[in-house]
Amino acid sequence: MVKIHKFVSCDPDLCTGCTVCEYACSLEKDGVFNPIRSRIRALRVYPSGNLAIACRMCEDAPCVIACPRDALQQSEEDGHIIVDEDKCNGCGWCVEACDFGAITVGPDKIAIVCDLCDGEPKCIDVCPVEALSLQSRETKARKSRISATAARILADAASEADK
């Protein structure tokens, strides 16, 4: 049976870049309000807007494969990345391997990555504009196809109206 990995997804049309998600994450995970310790990153994508990025729970996660010390493992249950702090030396190979920029090395020189807060991510709970949600790759792809189709239909309708 194929397990569906869910991840924290951000709607860039809603995200304001407020960084409340980063503060909530660092408080939940490390007991401090410090975005450097956050497992989610709020990014300003100039000039188009804002976006928050967290681990995508990739199948055959490149960060796990890249780790020369076998400090990273992927949970078979939900796909989150498990960091063995005794093995991790903060070399950053996992950071380089992540296509999404979702894993970092923290101030303690240990890799930090979203673990989904046992299935109830705090960042989703605190997002003031509900830009964050828990989605699967399949759901995200389906929504993208629907949006692209709707945009094409609207463009065709506008083109017909101009004739």
Side-chain angles (χ1 to χ4, degrees):
M1 179 176 181
V2 177
K3 296 203 176 207
I4 297 175
H5 298 168
K6 291 188 175 183
F7 59 91
V8 176
S9 177
C10 177
D11 183 340
D13 293 333
L14 296 175
C15 183
T16 63
C18 68
T19 68
V20 169
C21 54
E22 292 181 341
Y23 285 100
C25 179
S26 65
L27 179 63
E28 175 68 18
K29 295 300 172 190
D30 292 331
V32 295
F33 287 110
N34 185 347
I36 293 173
R37 294 185 176 272
S38 176
R39 277 79 172 152
I40 187 168
R41 298 276 174 245
L43 304 173
R44 178 169 301 278
V45 184
Y46 185 80
S48 59
N50 301 295
L51 183 64
I53 296 176
C55 179
R56 294 296 185 113
M57 315 298 163
C58 303
E59 289 182 31
D60 300 322
C63 58
V64 173
I65 295 168
C67 182
R69 298 175 58 101
D70 294 326
L72 303 180
Q73 294 181 342
Q74 189 163 26
S75 165
E76 290 184 21
E77 183 180 327
D78 64 6
H80 82 268
I81 304 302
I82 302 163
V83 179
D84 184 333
E85 294 183 2
D86 293 331
K87 290 182 178 178
C88 182
N89 65 356
C91 69
W93 281 90
C94 54
V95 175
E96 294 295 324
C98 179
D99 291 336
F100 299 100
I103 188 167
T104 60
V105 174
D108 301 329
K109 306 292 183 209
I110 302 292
I112 54 175
V113 61
C114 177
D115 65 1
L116 297 175
C117 297
D118 294 325
E120 296 181 22
K122 301 303 181 254
C123 54
I124 293 174
D125 291 345
V126 301
C127 181
V129 294
E130 299 180 358
L132 301 176
S133 61
L134 202 55
Q135 293 190 18
S136 68
R137 188 177 305 261
E138 292 76 16
T139 302
K140 184 87 173 166
R142 188 175 324 120
K143 287 182 179 181
S144 294
R145 286 192 300 271
I146 291 170
S147 293
T149 301
R152 191 176 60 236
I153 290 170
L154 289 173
D156 288 348
S159 176
E160 288 295 320
D162 289 340
K163 290 182 182 178

